[in-house]
PDB file of all heavy atoms in Angstrom:
ATOM      1  N   TYR A 175     146.436 -23.128 142.989  1.00 92.00           N
ATOM      2  CA  TYR A 175     147.417 -23.483 141.984  1.00 92.00           C
ATOM      3  C   TYR A 175     146.829 -24.076 140.790  1.00 92.00           C
ATOM      4  O   TYR A 175     147.478 -24.262 139.728  1.00 92.00           O
ATOM      5  CB  TYR A 175     148.541 -24.417 142.682  1.00 92.00           C
ATOM      6  CG  TYR A 175     149.540 -23.682 143.610  1.00 92.00           C
ATOM      7  CD1 TYR A 175     149.240 -23.351 144.832  1.00 92.00           C
ATOM      8  CD2 TYR A 175     150.724 -23.449 142.901  1.00 92.00           C
ATOM      9  CE1 TYR A 175     150.153 -22.669 145.490  1.00 92.00           C
ATOM     10  CE2 TYR A 175     151.689 -22.681 143.625  1.00 92.00           C
ATOM     11  CZ  TYR A 175     151.490 -22.245 144.946  1.00 92.00           C
ATOM     12  OH  TYR A 175     152.272 -21.569 145.675  1.00 92.00           O
ATOM     13  N   GLU A 176     145.566 -24.365 140.843  1.00 92.00           N
ATOM     14  CA  GLU A 176     144.828 -24.908 139.699  1.00 92.00           C
ATOM     15  C   GLU A 176     144.209 -23.903 138.824  1.00 92.00           C
ATOM     16  O   GLU A 176     143.534 -24.033 137.816  1.00 92.00           O
ATOM     17  CB  GLU A 176     143.829 -25.864 140.108  1.00 92.00           C
ATOM     18  CG  GLU A 176     144.290 -27.200 140.677  1.00 92.00           C
ATOM     19  CD  GLU A 176     143.330 -28.197 141.136  1.00 92.00           C
ATOM     20  OE1 GLU A 176     142.038 -27.927 141.122  1.00 92.00           O
ATOM     21  OE2 GLU A 176     143.681 -29.216 141.710  1.00 92.00           O
ATOM     22  N   ASP A 177     144.219 -22.587 139.345  1.00 91.00           N
ATOM     23  CA  ASP A 177     143.687 -21.364 138.616  1.00 91.00           C
ATOM     24  C   ASP A 177     144.789 -20.641 137.836  1.00 91.00           C
ATOM     25  O   ASP A 177     145.781 -20.241 138.373  1.00 91.00           O
ATOM     26  CB  ASP A 177     142.949 -20.492 139.544  1.00 91.00           C
ATOM     27  CG  ASP A 177     142.198 -19.461 138.951  1.00 91.00           C
ATOM     28  OD1 ASP A 177     142.574 -18.652 138.162  1.00 91.00           O
ATOM     29  OD2 ASP A 177     140.859 -19.522 139.164  1.00 91.00           O
ATOM     30  N   SER A 178     144.598 -20.439 136.588  1.00 90.00           N
ATOM     31  CA  SER A 178     145.581 -19.827 135.653  1.00 90.00           C
ATOM     32  C   SER A 178     145.833 -18.436 135.979  1.00 90.00           C
ATOM     33  O   SER A 178     146.933 -17.746 135.739  1.00 90.00           O
ATOM     34  CB  SER A 178     145.216 -20.029 134.221  1.00 90.00           C
ATOM     35  OG  SER A 178     143.943 -19.276 133.926  1.00 90.00           O
ATOM     36  N   ARG A 179     144.832 -17.694 136.707  1.00 90.00           N
ATOM     37  CA  ARG A 179     145.113 -16.382 137.081  1.00 90.00           C
ATOM     38  C   ARG A 179     146.072 -16.087 138.258  1.00 90.00           C
ATOM     39  O   ARG A 179     146.473 -15.052 138.573  1.00 90.00           O
ATOM     40  CB  ARG A 179     143.751 -15.736 137.385  1.00 90.00           C
ATOM     41  CG  ARG A 179     142.702 -15.715 136.229  1.00 90.00           C
ATOM     42  CD  ARG A 179     141.457 -15.439 136.562  1.00 90.00           C
ATOM     43  NE  ARG A 179     140.888 -16.398 137.525  1.00 90.00           N
ATOM     44  CZ  ARG A 179     139.608 -16.443 137.914  1.00 90.00           C
ATOM     45  NH1 ARG A 179     138.813 -15.532 137.503  1.00 90.00           N
ATOM     46  NH2 ARG A 179     139.267 -17.432 138.574  1.00 90.00           N
ATOM     47  N   PHE A 180     146.283 -17.308 139.082  1.00 91.00           N
ATOM     48  CA  PHE A 180     147.046 -17.209 140.265  1.00 91.00           C
ATOM     49  C   PHE A 180     148.498 -17.045 139.836  1.00 91.00           C
ATOM     50  O   PHE A 180     149.017 -17.831 139.037  1.00 91.00           O
ATOM     51  CB  PHE A 180     146.792 -18.422 141.038  1.00 91.00           C
ATOM     52  CG  PHE A 180     147.673 -18.489 142.328  1.00 91.00           C
ATOM     53  CD1 PHE A 180     147.484 -17.465 143.273  1.00 91.00           C
ATOM     54  CD2 PHE A 180     148.665 -19.386 142.512  1.00 91.00           C
ATOM     55  CE1 PHE A 180     148.192 -17.522 144.434  1.00 91.00           C
ATOM     56  CE2 PHE A 180     149.470 -19.433 143.689  1.00 91.00           C
ATOM     57  CZ  PHE A 180     149.164 -18.553 144.573  1.00 91.00           C
ATOM     58  N   ASN A 181     149.174 -16.036 140.556  1.00 84.00           N
ATOM     59  CA  ASN A 181     150.553 -15.846 140.345  1.00 84.00           C
ATOM     60  C   ASN A 181     151.296 -16.419 141.403  1.00 84.00           C
ATOM     61  O   ASN A 181     151.424 -15.880 142.550  1.00 84.00           O
ATOM     62  CB  ASN A 181     150.863 -14.260 140.371  1.00 84.00           C
ATOM     63  CG  ASN A 181     152.229 -13.984 140.106  1.00 84.00           C
ATOM     64  OD1 ASN A 181     153.027 -14.770 139.937  1.00 84.00           O
ATOM     65  ND2 ASN A 181     152.557 -12.604 140.091  1.00 84.00           N
ATOM     66  N   GLN A 182     152.005 -17.467 141.147  1.00 86.00           N
ATOM     67  CA  GLN A 182     152.705 -18.325 142.046  1.00 86.00           C
ATOM     68  C   GLN A 182     153.969 -17.600 142.611  1.00 86.00           C
ATOM     69  O   GLN A 182     154.503 -17.863 143.590  1.00 86.00           O
ATOM     70  CB  GLN A 182     153.135 -19.720 141.411  1.00 86.00           C
ATOM     71  CG  GLN A 182     151.985 -20.529 141.177  1.00 86.00           C
ATOM     72  CD  GLN A 182     152.409 -21.867 140.487  1.00 86.00           C
ATOM     73  OE1 GLN A 182     153.498 -22.253 140.620  1.00 86.00           O
ATOM     74  NE2 GLN A 182     151.459 -22.380 139.726  1.00 86.00           N
ATOM     75  N   GLN A 183     154.409 -16.636 141.893  1.00 82.00           N
ATOM     76  CA  GLN A 183     155.578 -15.857 142.193  1.00 82.00           C
ATOM     77  C   GLN A 183     155.370 -15.173 143.498  1.00 82.00           C
ATOM     78  O   GLN A 183     156.495 -15.082 144.304  1.00 82.00           O
ATOM     79  CB  GLN A 183     155.946 -14.838 141.092  1.00 82.00           C
ATOM     80  CG  GLN A 183     157.316 -14.262 141.307  1.00 82.00           C
ATOM     81  CD  GLN A 183     158.459 -15.219 141.251  1.00 82.00           C
ATOM     82  OE1 GLN A 183     158.467 -15.975 140.393  1.00 82.00           O
ATOM     83  NE2 GLN A 183     159.295 -15.139 142.245  1.00 82.00           N
ATOM     84  N   THR A 184     154.243 -14.811 143.724  1.00 79.00           N
ATOM     85  CA  THR A 184     154.043 -14.039 145.121  1.00 79.00           C
ATOM     86  C   THR A 184     154.349 -15.080 146.244  1.00 79.00           C
ATOM     87  O   THR A 184     154.958 -14.758 147.240  1.00 79.00           O
ATOM     88  CB  THR A 184     152.716 -13.509 145.280  1.00 79.00           C
ATOM     89  OG1 THR A 184     152.351 -12.573 144.130  1.00 79.00           O
ATOM     90  CG2 THR A 184     152.350 -12.716 146.520  1.00 79.00           C
ATOM     91  N   ASP A 185     153.917 -16.294 146.164  1.00 84.00           N
ATOM     92  CA  ASP A 185     154.261 -17.246 147.242  1.00 84.00           C
ATOM     93  C   ASP A 185     155.621 -17.569 147.200  1.00 84.00           C
ATOM     94  O   ASP A 185     156.185 -17.658 148.434  1.00 84.00           O
ATOM     95  CB  ASP A 185     153.418 -18.599 146.872  1.00 84.00           C
ATOM     96  CG  ASP A 185     152.042 -18.648 147.441  1.00 84.00           C
ATOM     97  OD1 ASP A 185     151.614 -17.635 147.915  1.00 84.00           O
ATOM     98  OD2 ASP A 185     151.372 -19.743 147.389  1.00 84.00           O
ATOM     99  N   LEU A 186     156.368 -17.688 146.085  1.00 87.00           N
ATOM    100  CA  LEU A 186     157.800 -17.796 146.082  1.00 87.00           C
ATOM    101  C   LEU A 186     158.481 -16.662 146.758  1.00 87.00           C
ATOM    102  O   LEU A 186     159.409 -16.858 147.539  1.00 87.00           O
ATOM    103  CB  LEU A 186     158.334 -18.026 144.707  1.00 87.00           C
ATOM    104  CG  LEU A 186     157.773 -19.261 144.043  1.00 87.00           C
ATOM    105  CD1 LEU A 186     158.295 -19.285 142.523  1.00 87.00           C
ATOM    106  CD2 LEU A 186     158.306 -20.572 144.692  1.00 87.00           C
ATOM    107  N   ASP A 187     158.127 -15.434 146.397  1.00 83.00           N
ATOM    108  CA  ASP A 187     158.644 -14.269 147.096  1.00 83.00           C
ATOM    109  C   ASP A 187     158.520 -14.177 148.629  1.00 83.00           C
ATOM    110  O   ASP A 187     159.406 -13.599 149.249  1.00 83.00           O
ATOM    111  CB  ASP A 187     158.168 -13.004 146.491  1.00 83.00           C
ATOM    112  CG  ASP A 187     158.610 -12.821 144.968  1.00 83.00           C
ATOM    113  OD1 ASP A 187     159.557 -13.565 144.540  1.00 83.00           O
ATOM    114  OD2 ASP A 187     158.067 -12.007 144.166  1.00 83.00           O
ATOM    115  N   THR A 188     157.334 -14.497 149.008  1.00 82.00           N
ATOM    116  CA  THR A 188     156.911 -14.319 150.458  1.00 82.00           C
ATOM    117  C   THR A 188     157.222 -15.581 151.290  1.00 82.00           C
ATOM    118  O   THR A 188     157.176 -15.471 152.627  1.00 82.00           O
ATOM    119  CB  THR A 188     155.507 -13.933 150.618  1.00 82.00           C
ATOM    120  OG1 THR A 188     154.660 -14.980 150.084  1.00 82.00           O
ATOM    121  CG2 THR A 188     155.271 -12.673 149.899  1.00 82.00           C
ATOM    122  N   GLY A 189     157.328 -16.749 150.730  1.00 85.00           N
ATOM    123  CA  GLY A 189     157.480 -18.024 151.525  1.00 85.00           C
ATOM    124  C   GLY A 189     156.175 -18.497 151.966  1.00 85.00           C
ATOM    125  O   GLY A 189     156.058 -19.389 152.822  1.00 85.00           O
ATOM    126  N   TYR A 190     155.124 -18.034 151.532  1.00 84.00           N
ATOM    127  CA  TYR A 190     153.803 -18.413 151.959  1.00 84.00           C
ATOM    128  C   TYR A 190     153.238 -19.427 151.040  1.00 84.00           C
ATOM    129  O   TYR A 190     153.658 -19.545 149.821  1.00 84.00           O
ATOM    130  CB  TYR A 190     152.826 -17.271 151.896  1.00 84.00           C
ATOM    131  CG  TYR A 190     151.487 -17.325 152.649  1.00 84.00           C
ATOM    132  CD1 TYR A 190     151.428 -17.313 154.026  1.00 84.00           C
ATOM    133  CD2 TYR A 190     150.456 -17.539 151.887  1.00 84.00           C
ATOM    134  CE1 TYR A 190     150.230 -17.529 154.669  1.00 84.00           C
ATOM    135  CE2 TYR A 190     149.141 -17.713 152.528  1.00 84.00           C
ATOM    136  CZ  TYR A 190     149.001 -17.684 153.906  1.00 84.00           C
ATOM    137  OH  TYR A 190     147.857 -17.875 154.517  1.00 84.00           O
ATOM    138  N   ARG A 191     152.373 -20.299 151.526  1.00 86.00           N
ATOM    139  CA  ARG A 191     151.668 -21.395 150.542  1.00 86.00           C
ATOM    140  C   ARG A 191     150.109 -21.066 150.526  1.00 86.00           C
ATOM    141  O   ARG A 191     149.469 -21.168 151.615  1.00 86.00           O
ATOM    142  CB  ARG A 191     152.051 -22.722 151.174  1.00 86.00           C
ATOM    143  CG  ARG A 191     151.296 -23.777 150.396  1.00 86.00           C
ATOM    144  CD  ARG A 191     151.870 -24.029 148.952  1.00 86.00           C
ATOM    145  NE  ARG A 191     151.199 -25.137 148.372  1.00 86.00           N
ATOM    146  CZ  ARG A 191     151.354 -25.493 147.157  1.00 86.00           C
ATOM    147  NH1 ARG A 191     152.204 -24.855 146.394  1.00 86.00           N
ATOM    148  NH2 ARG A 191     150.720 -26.521 146.648  1.00 86.00           N
ATOM    149  N   THR A 192     149.738 -20.546 149.349  1.00 86.00           N
ATOM    150  CA  THR A 192     148.321 -20.270 149.058  1.00 86.00           C
ATOM    151  C   THR A 192     147.542 -21.542 148.727  1.00 86.00           C
ATOM    152  O   THR A 192     148.068 -22.195 147.778  1.00 86.00           O
ATOM    153  CB  THR A 192     148.228 -19.138 148.128  1.00 86.00           C
ATOM    154  OG1 THR A 192     148.891 -17.988 148.538  1.00 86.00           O
ATOM    155  CG2 THR A 192     146.714 -18.748 147.913  1.00 86.00           C
ATOM    156  N   LYS A 193     146.360 -21.648 149.268  1.00 90.00           N
ATOM    157  CA  LYS A 193     145.632 -22.812 148.885  1.00 90.00           C
ATOM    158  C   LYS A 193     144.200 -22.281 148.275  1.00 90.00           C
ATOM    159  O   LYS A 193     144.041 -22.230 147.109  1.00 90.00           O
ATOM    160  CB  LYS A 193     145.326 -23.853 149.905  1.00 90.00           C
ATOM    161  CG  LYS A 193     144.435 -24.972 149.332  1.00 90.00           C
ATOM    162  CD  LYS A 193     144.466 -26.244 150.133  1.00 90.00           C
ATOM    163  CE  LYS A 193     143.805 -27.205 149.296  1.00 90.00           C
ATOM    164  NZ  LYS A 193     142.966 -28.232 150.032  1.00 90.00           N
ATOM    165  N   SER A 194     143.452 -21.732 149.261  1.00 90.00           N
ATOM    166  CA  SER A 194     142.157 -21.225 148.849  1.00 90.00           C
ATOM    167  C   SER A 194     142.140 -19.713 148.917  1.00 90.00           C
ATOM    168  O   SER A 194     142.828 -19.125 149.668  1.00 90.00           O
ATOM    169  CB  SER A 194     141.030 -21.780 149.743  1.00 90.00           C
ATOM    170  OG  SER A 194     141.284 -21.477 151.109  1.00 90.00           O
ATOM    171  N   ILE A 195     141.360 -19.112 147.919  1.00 89.00           N
ATOM    172  CA  ILE A 195     141.298 -17.624 147.930  1.00 89.00           C
ATOM    173  C   ILE A 195     139.874 -17.300 147.695  1.00 89.00           C
ATOM    174  O   ILE A 195     139.070 -17.805 147.017  1.00 89.00           O
ATOM    175  CB  ILE A 195     142.083 -17.148 146.667  1.00 89.00           C
ATOM    176  CG1 ILE A 195     143.608 -17.501 146.787  1.00 89.00           C
ATOM    177  CG2 ILE A 195     141.818 -15.498 146.521  1.00 89.00           C
ATOM    178  CD1 ILE A 195     144.354 -17.126 145.491  1.00 89.00           C
ATOM    179  N   LEU A 196     139.448 -16.262 148.585  1.00 91.00           N
ATOM    180  CA  LEU A 196     138.180 -15.429 148.342  1.00 91.00           C
ATOM    181  C   LEU A 196     138.501 -14.044 148.145  1.00 91.00           C
ATOM    182  O   LEU A 196     139.136 -13.439 148.946  1.00 91.00           O
ATOM    183  CB  LEU A 196     137.321 -15.719 149.670  1.00 91.00           C
ATOM    184  CG  LEU A 196     135.968 -14.946 149.716  1.00 91.00           C
ATOM    185  CD1 LEU A 196     135.099 -15.357 148.437  1.00 91.00           C
ATOM    186  CD2 LEU A 196     135.304 -15.220 150.908  1.00 91.00           C
ATOM    187  N   CYS A 197     138.143 -13.557 147.018  1.00 92.00           N
ATOM    188  CA  CYS A 197     138.487 -12.224 146.587  1.00 92.00           C
ATOM    189  C   CYS A 197     137.274 -11.523 146.016  1.00 92.00           C
ATOM    190  O   CYS A 197     136.553 -12.023 145.101  1.00 92.00           O
ATOM    191  CB  CYS A 197     139.661 -12.419 145.520  1.00 92.00           C
ATOM    192  SG  CYS A 197     140.486 -10.879 145.122  1.00 92.00           S
ATOM    193  N   LEU A 198     137.176 -10.265 146.479  1.00 92.00           N
ATOM    194  CA  LEU A 198     135.958  -9.533 145.957  1.00 92.00           C
ATOM    195  C   LEU A 198     136.365  -7.982 145.874  1.00 92.00           C
ATOM    196  O   LEU A 198     137.096  -7.570 146.620  1.00 92.00           O
ATOM    197  CB  LEU A 198     134.749  -9.669 146.723  1.00 92.00           C
ATOM    198  CG  LEU A 198     134.710  -9.376 148.221  1.00 92.00           C
ATOM    199  CD1 LEU A 198     133.387  -9.051 148.791  1.00 92.00           C
ATOM    200  CD2 LEU A 198     135.187 -10.661 148.986  1.00 92.00           C
ATOM    201  N   PRO A 199     135.578  -7.341 145.091  1.00 91.00           N
ATOM    202  CA  PRO A 199     135.838  -5.890 144.929  1.00 91.00           C
ATOM    203  C   PRO A 199     135.203  -5.116 146.197  1.00 91.00           C
ATOM    204  O   PRO A 199     134.159  -5.588 146.770  1.00 91.00           O
ATOM    205  CB  PRO A 199     135.099  -5.470 143.572  1.00 91.00           C
ATOM    206  CG  PRO A 199     134.160  -6.436 143.451  1.00 91.00           C
ATOM    207  CD  PRO A 199     134.552  -7.785 143.989  1.00 91.00           C
ATOM    208  N   VAL A 200     135.756  -3.996 146.450  1.00 91.00           N
ATOM    209  CA  VAL A 200     135.249  -3.031 147.493  1.00 91.00           C
ATOM    210  C   VAL A 200     134.863  -1.874 146.745  1.00 91.00           C
ATOM    211  O   VAL A 200     135.586  -1.093 146.119  1.00 91.00           O
ATOM    212  CB  VAL A 200     136.378  -2.715 148.515  1.00 91.00           C
ATOM    213  CG1 VAL A 200     135.810  -1.763 149.449  1.00 91.00           C
ATOM    214  CG2 VAL A 200     136.765  -3.983 149.297  1.00 91.00           C
ATOM    215  N   TYR A 201     133.578  -1.465 146.926  1.00 91.00           N
ATOM    216  CA  TYR A 201     133.053  -0.215 146.182  1.00 91.00           C
ATOM    217  C   TYR A 201     132.730   0.890 147.130  1.00 91.00           C
ATOM    218  O   TYR A 201     132.422   0.606 148.424  1.00 91.00           O
ATOM    219  CB  TYR A 201     131.629  -0.720 145.643  1.00 91.00           C
ATOM    220  CG  TYR A 201     131.733  -1.722 144.538  1.00 91.00           C
ATOM    221  CD1 TYR A 201     131.322  -2.974 144.799  1.00 91.00           C
ATOM    222  CD2 TYR A 201     132.278  -1.399 143.258  1.00 91.00           C
ATOM    223  CE1 TYR A 201     131.369  -3.997 143.798  1.00 91.00           C
ATOM    224  CE2 TYR A 201     132.357  -2.392 142.242  1.00 91.00           C
ATOM    225  CZ  TYR A 201     131.886  -3.644 142.529  1.00 91.00           C
ATOM    226  OH  TYR A 201     132.000  -4.620 141.622  1.00 91.00           O
ATOM    227  N   ASP A 202     132.914   2.118 146.666  1.00 86.00           N
ATOM    228  CA  ASP A 202     132.432   3.331 147.427  1.00 86.00           C
ATOM    229  C   ASP A 202     130.942   3.531 147.208  1.00 86.00           C
ATOM    230  O   ASP A 202     130.276   2.734 146.510  1.00 86.00           O
ATOM    231  CB  ASP A 202     133.290   4.499 147.185  1.00 86.00           C
ATOM    232  CG  ASP A 202     133.218   5.043 145.696  1.00 86.00           C
ATOM    233  OD1 ASP A 202     132.309   4.606 144.995  1.00 86.00           O
ATOM    234  OD2 ASP A 202     134.025   5.922 145.362  1.00 86.00           O
ATOM    235  N   SER A 203     130.456   4.584 147.757  1.00 83.00           N
ATOM    236  CA  SER A 203     129.113   4.927 147.668  1.00 83.00           C
ATOM    237  C   SER A 203     128.596   5.169 146.383  1.00 83.00           C
ATOM    238  O   SER A 203     127.419   5.167 146.006  1.00 83.00           O
ATOM    239  CB  SER A 203     128.738   6.038 148.605  1.00 83.00           C
ATOM    240  OG  SER A 203     129.490   7.204 148.263  1.00 83.00           O
ATOM    241  N   GLU A 204     129.599   5.604 145.403  1.00 85.00           N
ATOM    242  CA  GLU A 204     129.268   5.806 144.011  1.00 85.00           C
ATOM    243  C   GLU A 204     129.552   4.698 143.081  1.00 85.00           C
ATOM    244  O   GLU A 204     129.583   4.855 141.930  1.00 85.00           O
ATOM    245  CB  GLU A 204     130.001   7.085 143.527  1.00 85.00           C
ATOM    246  CG  GLU A 204     129.608   8.322 144.288  1.00 85.00           C
ATOM    247  CD  GLU A 204     130.614   9.555 144.067  1.00 85.00           C
ATOM    248  OE1 GLU A 204     131.500   9.437 143.362  1.00 85.00           O
ATOM    249  OE2 GLU A 204     130.275  10.593 144.713  1.00 85.00           O
ATOM    250  N   ASN A 205     129.727   3.552 143.759  1.00 88.00           N
ATOM    251  CA  ASN A 205     129.896   2.205 142.878  1.00 88.00           C
ATOM    252  C   ASN A 205     131.287   2.182 142.134  1.00 88.00           C
ATOM    253  O   ASN A 205     131.352   1.548 141.239  1.00 88.00           O
ATOM    254  CB  ASN A 205     128.801   1.902 142.078  1.00 88.00           C
ATOM    255  CG  ASN A 205     128.464   0.405 141.921  1.00 88.00           C
ATOM    256  OD1 ASN A 205     128.740  -0.278 142.945  1.00 88.00           O
ATOM    257  ND2 ASN A 205     128.036   0.032 140.870  1.00 88.00           N
TER     258      ASN A 205
END
Side-chain angles (χ1 to χ4, degrees):
Y175 283 84
E176 292 178 2
D177 192 296
S178 63
R179 299 167 294 187
F180 178 65
N181 180 1
Q182 298 177 18
Q183 188 62 46
T184 303
D185 274 7
L186 293 172
D187 291 346
T188 62
Y190 192 78
R191 175 71 178 173
T192 302
K193 181 162 187 214
S194 57
I195 299 173
L196 175 56
C197 192
L198 61 150
V200 176
Y201 298 106
D202 67 9
S203 60
E204 296 169 359
N205 214 32

